[in-house]
């Protein structure tokens, strides 16, 4: 069956810069004049993918913080851009999204982890994002990162998008073949490349037995929803901490979006449904473009097609 497509891609103004700066970042879009190089004029660049759970957290946090930041889409599904040498460098050899590139004191300083990007969004000068109660923040952050998001998401998509299911076994295998070749060409990065291979193998296991994988993750959704409901009741709403929107609402919004993507029905939980309506209508959350329904982003489906 077919899904409609939507296109999510930001175009950036070109800006002349020295070859030294272009070579320093290695991003090919800078050389093409499609992305501002890190500089005083472009101090923040968020490398992200539209459908990535952790990228969505970074986008929501940076948007709620109201920090001036350009967004750079990383194609992790079709061209496997995350495995390129330049991206491995700025991602601390993890090849993961997101990465926030900060220009500070004349240098490019990459922040290659969503939790670190979140911390930057909370603590940067001029940030509008509030932490709220530190213990509550700690609990919600742990809940967010402990949740088995790939065990929930990948099996669901495999079961509901036949072309995705048929193609992704090959995609993960092809990715591992590329990474094995890269180990020969980049011997100093063997450990990080092996870690990427292991991650792909874990994802492959979810796709090969999607029903069992999804069933194992599904009860944990209810645990998260129970926690959000309890916090709303305790604080009196409309947000997790009461009247003030905090980072706990960022965690909750991204998780709820993912639950909606895998067709979790909020109707039996009216407090959750009303809360989602409130947070998803915020301009900053809308700017973050949380993926909460089919059709999936064009890049995901095109990735499935290209690796069939």
């Amino acid at each position: 069956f077919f899904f409609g497509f939507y296109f999510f891609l930001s175009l950036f103004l070109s800006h002349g810069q020295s070859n030294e700066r272009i070579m320093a970042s290695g991003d090919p879009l800078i050389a093409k004049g499609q992305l501002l190089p890190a500089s005083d004029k472009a101090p923040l660049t968020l490398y992200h993918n539209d459908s990535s759970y952790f990228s969505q957290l970074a986008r929501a946090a940076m948007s709620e913080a109201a920090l001036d930041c350009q967004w750079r889409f990383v194609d992790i599904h079709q061209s496997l851009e995350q495995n390129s040498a330049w991206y491995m460098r700025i991602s601390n050899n993890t090849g993961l999204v997101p990465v926030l590139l900060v220009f500070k004191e004349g240098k490019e300083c990459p922040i290659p982890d969503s939790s670190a990007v979140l911390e930057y969004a909370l603590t940067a000068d001029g940030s509008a994002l509030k932490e709220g109660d530190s213990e509550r923040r700690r609990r919600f952050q742990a809940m967010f990162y402990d949740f088995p998001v790939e065990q929930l998401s990948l099996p669901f998509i495999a079961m509901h998008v036949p072309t995705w299911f048929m193609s992704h076994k090959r995609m993960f295998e092809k990715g591992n073949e590329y990474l094995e070749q890269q180990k020969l060409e980049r011997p100093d990065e063997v450990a990080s490349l092996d870690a990427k291979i292991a991650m792909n193998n874990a994802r492959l296991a979810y796709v090969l037995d999607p029903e069992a994988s999804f069933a194992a993750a599904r009860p944990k959704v209810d645990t998260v929803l129970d926690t959000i409901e309890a916090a709303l009741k305790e604080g009196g709403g409309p947000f997790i901490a009461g009247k003030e929107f905090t980072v706990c609402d960022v965690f909750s919004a991204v998780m709820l979006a993912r639950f909606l993507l895998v067709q979790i029905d909020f109707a039996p939980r009216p407090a959750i449904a009303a809360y989602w309506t409130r947070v998803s209508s915020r301009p900053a959350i809308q700017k973050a473009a949380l993926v909460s329904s089919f059709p999936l982003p064009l890049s995901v489906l095109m990735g499935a097609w290209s690796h069939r």
Side-chain angles (χ1 to χ4, degrees):
F1 61 98
F2 298 95
F3 293 97
F5 296 120
Y6 69 85
F7 187 73
F8 176 72
L9 180 63
S10 297
L11 295 177
F12 302 101
L13 298 175
S14 63
H15 180 72
Q17 195 67 219
S18 69
N19 288 333
E20 180 181 358
R21 176 63 61 199
I22 292 173
M23 293 303 293
S25 68
D27 186 335
L29 291 192
I30 294 176
K32 294 177 181 178
Q34 296 175 335
L35 182 73
L36 292 172
S39 66
D40 291 331
K41 294 184 178 181
L44 300 174
T45 303
L46 181 65
Y47 288 81
H48 74 103
N49 180 269
D50 44 12
S51 64
S52 158
Y53 177 74
F54 300 104
S55 290
Q56 290 177 73
L57 176 72
R59 293 199 305 268
M62 294 295 288
S63 296
E64 286 288 350
L67 298 174
D68 187 14
C69 179
Q70 63 177 347
W71 292 1
R72 201 291 201 186
F73 173 83
V74 180
D75 184 359
I76 64 175
H77 296 109
Q78 189 173 2
S79 65
L80 305 180
E81 197 172 18
Q82 73 276 22
N83 294 333
S84 59
W86 70 267
Y87 190 79
M88 290 291 282
R89 284 197 299 272
I90 69 168
S91 65
N92 197 27
N93 288 327
T94 65
L96 300 177
V97 288
V99 171
L100 180 65
L101 193 63
V102 180
F103 187 77
K104 184 177 181 181
E105 298 178 353
K107 297 179 180 179
E108 297 171 341
C109 304
I111 301 176
D113 180 84
S114 62
S115 62
V117 174
L118 176 77
E119 195 65 30
Y120 182 91
L122 277 168
T123 59
D125 291 343
S127 172
L129 181 60
K130 306 298 183 183
E131 179 183 33
D133 178 74
S134 59
E135 175 58 24
R136 183 187 294 113
R137 177 259 177 103
R138 186 197 64 77
R139 288 189 287 107
F140 271 74
Q141 185 162 341
M143 179 174 71
F144 180 87
Y145 282 101
D146 289 345
F147 187 81
V149 62
E150 291 193 333
Q151 187 177 1
L152 184 79
S153 308
L154 296 181
F156 179 87
I157 299 171
M159 290 186 289
H160 289 80
V161 185
T163 56
W164 195 99
F165 176 78
M166 292 183 288
S167 69
H168 270 54
K169 178 178 184 293
R170 178 56 188 151
M171 189 186 84
F172 291 129
E173 290 172 345
K174 183 177 179 180
N176 282 350
E177 290 169 5
Y178 172 82
L179 293 169
E180 289 289 355
Q181 179 61 37
Q182 288 298 297
K183 286 165 62 176
L184 301 177
E185 299 177 12
R186 293 146 59 185
D188 294 342
E189 302 173 27
V190 166
S192 59
L193 293 169
D194 278 338
K196 288 279 290 179
I197 291 170
M199 185 180 300
N200 282 343
N201 287 336
R203 291 165 172 164
L204 182 58
Y206 295 147
V207 173
L208 291 179
D209 192 0
E211 291 85 359
S213 296
F214 184 83
R218 176 60 181 84
K220 298 176 183 179
V221 172
D222 291 322
T223 301
V224 171
L225 296 178
D226 289 344
T227 300
I228 294 174
E229 279 185 331
L232 289 170
K233 184 176 181 180
E234 178 185 353
F239 302 115
I240 297 297
K243 294 182 179 180
E244 184 177 59
F245 185 96
T246 70
V247 67
C248 291
D249 297 292
V250 173
F251 291 125
S252 300
V254 176
M255 298 190 82
L256 292 180
R258 183 53 55 106
F259 296 166
L260 287 171
L261 179 66
V262 299
Q263 299 182 3
I264 302 300
D265 185 8
F266 292 167
R269 295 176 179 261
I272 293 289
Y275 173 69
W276 168 251
T277 299
R278 286 193 296 276
V279 296
S280 63
S281 65
R282 291 175 64 85
I285 296 300
Q286 291 182 348
K287 178 183 177 182
L290 304 184
V291 179
S292 61
S293 64
F294 286 109
L296 286 170
L298 178 66
S299 61
V300 178
L301 296 179
M302 285 302 292
W305 177 257
S306 66
H307 296 290
R308 69 194 187 282

